[in-house]
Amino acid sequence: MLAVPGATLHFQSQGSGPVLLLSQSGEGDAERTAGLVPLLADAFTVVTYDRRGRSRSTLDSPARPVTMADHADDVARLLAEVTGGPALMAGFSTGAAIGLQAAVRHHRGLLRTLIAHEPVMPGLLPEAECAEHAGELTAIQAPYAAGGLTAALPAITAHLGIDAAPDETGHRPHHPPHRPHVPQRTGTGRPDWAPSPSSSPAAATATRPSPGQPHSS
């Protein structure tokens, strides 16, 4: 566990080699990429964590909104805990947006390479597409704020193009690959999109920690 301002972060570390931080999508739980970690651990020290307020990472004041800036600063503090130099990072959906925020807020020496997979950033789209996707997000947020996930589910499935009805085998179909993943929003509900990746950190040499066994903190 790592104590940070306003929260305590649960993180795990496995493997040896350059530090690679995985930042999760959706629910923000380290177990989301549990199947991926063993495939990377022979070449990297793979670090995963629960985002603040999710799963095993607790908030000191649960009533206080969590912002993207909080998540970006958590990335910087976590990497400072596990390595002494620039690290590698792969972020997925919300995790990708957090990685881009971290790269801009802590651009000197934090990241050597960032892979931002499907970041939730409508602000980087052309104006018409930005308005469309921002409207879709609002259509999800309003019912979620009123009634939680159950109330928001119809808007989520519509956004992803999912036919929520099970097929004849009882299975529910996967969403089409061309549709974006649903973002998980935190904070006040005001859009807090990650800034442009044009401010990405300069390349630097990654630190190679000592080999180690799987570790959870």
Side-chain angles (χ1 to χ4, degrees):
M1 305 295 283
L2 175 65
V4 299
T8 302
L9 301 180
H10 169 88
F11 70 95
Q12 304 171 12
S13 177
Q14 181 175 339
S16 62
V19 169
L20 170 61
L21 176 66
L22 302 182
S23 185
Q24 315 298 330
S25 63
E27 68 276 9
D29 190 305
E31 303 308 319
R32 178 89 177 199
T33 50
L36 178 62
V37 171
L39 304 177
L40 299 170
D42 60 341
F44 303 96
T45 299
V46 184
V47 179
T48 56
Y49 71 108
D50 297 345
R51 285 201 298 273
R52 66 166 60 207
R54 303 298 181 97
S55 299
R56 295 153 291 189
S57 291
T58 56
L59 297 172
D60 295 346
S61 300
R64 175 188 174 274
V66 178
T67 67
M68 290 292 284
D70 291 328
H71 289 311
D73 291 346
D74 286 346
V75 166
R77 296 180 184 113
L78 180 55
L79 289 177
E81 175 72 12
V82 299
T83 185
L88 311 171
M89 180 175 177
F92 314 98
S93 190
T94 301
I98 291 170
L100 288 166
Q101 285 276 11
V104 172
R105 288 176 64 84
H106 305 276
H107 60 278
R108 294 187 180 276
L110 179 67
L111 298 176
R112 173 189 176 191
T113 299
L114 169 65
I115 299 173
H117 177 68
E118 295 188 339
V120 185
M121 296 186 304
L124 297 182
L125 296 172
E127 184 175 353
E129 293 182 47
C130 175
E132 176 187 356
H133 285 278
E136 289 176 330
L137 291 174
T138 300
I140 293 172
Q141 293 160 11
Y144 182 84
L149 179 59
T150 300
L153 196 57
I156 294 173
T157 56
H159 173 69
L160 293 177
I162 296 174
D163 180 359
D167 61 20
E168 61 275 8
T169 68
H171 293 96
R172 298 181 184 275
H174 296 292
H175 66 80
H178 67 280
R179 298 294 292 168
H181 289 299
V182 173
Q184 300 295 317
R185 295 289 301 278
T186 58
T188 62
R190 174 181 57 82
D192 189 14
W193 313 120
S196 169
S198 62
S199 302
S200 59
T205 303
T207 298
R208 183 178 292 272
S210 300
Q213 297 299 315
H215 169 72
S216 177
S217 182

